Amino acid sequence: MVPEVPIGDWLHQGSTDPDEVADRYDEWAQGYDDDLVTWNYQAPAVVADSVVSRHPDAGSVLDVGCGTGLVGRALRARGFTGRLLGLDISQASLDVARQGGAYDSVEQADLQQPLPLDDDSVDALVCVGVMTYLPEVEAVWREFARVVRPGGVLVTTQRDDLWDARDCQSVVDRLAAEGIWTPLEIAGPAPYLPDGYGGTPEVDCYYLTARVGGSEPTAED
Ligand SMILES: C[S@@+](CC[C@H](N)C(=O)[O-])C[C@H]1O[C@@H](n2cnc3c(N)ncnc32)[C@H](O)[C@@H]1O
């Protein structure tokens, strides 16, 4: 039997095979939250702050790649009372998220496929720590924008090395030129895992916030 790669090394490599990702996150589901606290994970708080301040009236949020539910719990801790939906490929992680009680519904889905939602069906979308596993950035971000109502907000992270390697700035610009979204903020490289993946060097990311559609800035912007 081939020995399993330690979790920190596996995270850094960033598999894009959905079956492998599901297996690894299923195995990790029970220990994930404790490990991420130990690793000083910043992103759920940063993204929850951004959604609540940019869209204080949001009645629904879709958390894509919700995992065990850290982002949902961060949103609830900041007073979000609307409908919260979670999607992930790891059923064991979804089970933990469901038990946490923050989500109105959680559902298994592969984010490398079209999202199981109608057009314009949520007010905001968050995607935290997930883009590493999704190599087709443009297709994924177009799909995110499709399900958010015009005027709604989308916040996603992308590791700083992958931001460059996957030419994410060009994708941002293309979608803006087409009126699919209006970028509000691209913060980074900014702290993501300041202590690394449990002993690896620090990991930074970009935090991209966009308003869906080509709308003029609003008072919250
Ligand atoms: C680092 S965790 C982040 C979880 C959560 N957003 C958080 O911040 O704690 C990455 C998550 O992405 C999910 N994921 C990766 N690839 C996926 C795919 N193709 N479809 C659905 N979920 C995926 C994993 O199962 C895992 O739960």
Side-chain angles (χ1 to χ4, degrees):
M1 198 173 144
V2 181
E4 209 167 59
V5 180
I7 192 70
D9 295 341
W10 183 83
L11 289 167
H12 181 69
Q13 287 162 13
S15 170
T16 55
D17 173 349
D19 292 332
E20 181 185 333
V21 169
D23 286 349
R24 196 80 209 225
Y25 276 96
D26 278 348
E27 287 166 14
W28 195 19
Q30 291 299 328
Y32 177 90
D33 289 1
D34 288 345
D35 285 346
L36 272 286
V37 168
T38 308
W39 299 353
N40 197 13
Y41 188 36
Q42 305 286 301
V46 173
V47 170
D49 282 341
S50 181
V51 170
V52 168
S53 64
R54 297 279 186 185
H55 202 338
D57 302 328
S60 55
V61 175
L62 173 65
D63 181 4
V64 288
C66 63
T68 58
L70 292 180
V71 180
R73 295 205 292 282
L75 280 165
R76 295 298 190 205
R78 282 155 183 78
F80 174 69
T81 56
R83 186 163 168 71
L84 184 54
L85 318 170
L87 298 177
D88 202 281
I89 202 163
S90 161
Q91 186 59 52
S93 300
L94 291 171
D95 292 343
V96 175
R98 185 181 290 111
Q99 285 157 15
Y103 294 80
D104 295 288
S105 73
V106 294
E107 186 182 330
Q108 194 173 36
D110 179 0
L111 302 173
Q112 296 198 38
Q113 304 296 322
L115 295 175
L117 278 91
D118 293 336
D119 295 357
D120 307 341
S121 52
V122 291
D123 294 328
L125 178 150
V126 291
C127 178
V128 183
V130 184
M131 289 304 302
T132 302
Y133 309 99
L134 306 176
E136 302 297 333
V137 175
E138 181 158 353
V140 168
W141 285 354
R142 284 180 186 275
E143 189 60 7
F144 288 178
R146 178 184 70 76
V147 303
V148 178
R149 291 188 187 98
V153 166
L154 187 160
V155 187
T156 183
T157 63
Q158 176 70 288
R159 242 168 55 183
D160 62 337
D161 56 333
L162 298 177
W163 180 271
D164 295 330
R166 294 177 181 168
D167 202 10
C168 292
Q169 186 62 57
S170 299
V171 178
V172 171
D173 294 344
R174 241 182 338 267
L175 268 58
E178 290 180 32
I180 288 173
W181 67 22
T182 305
L184 301 178
E185 185 179 31
I186 300 174
Y192 175 69
L193 284 164
D195 303 335
Y197 301 118
T200 66
E202 169 185 359
V203 182
D204 286 343
C205 75
Y206 283 88
Y207 293 91
L208 164 65
T209 306
R211 191 168 294 286
V212 171
S215 55
E216 292 298 312
T218 68
E220 280 91 33
D221 296 340

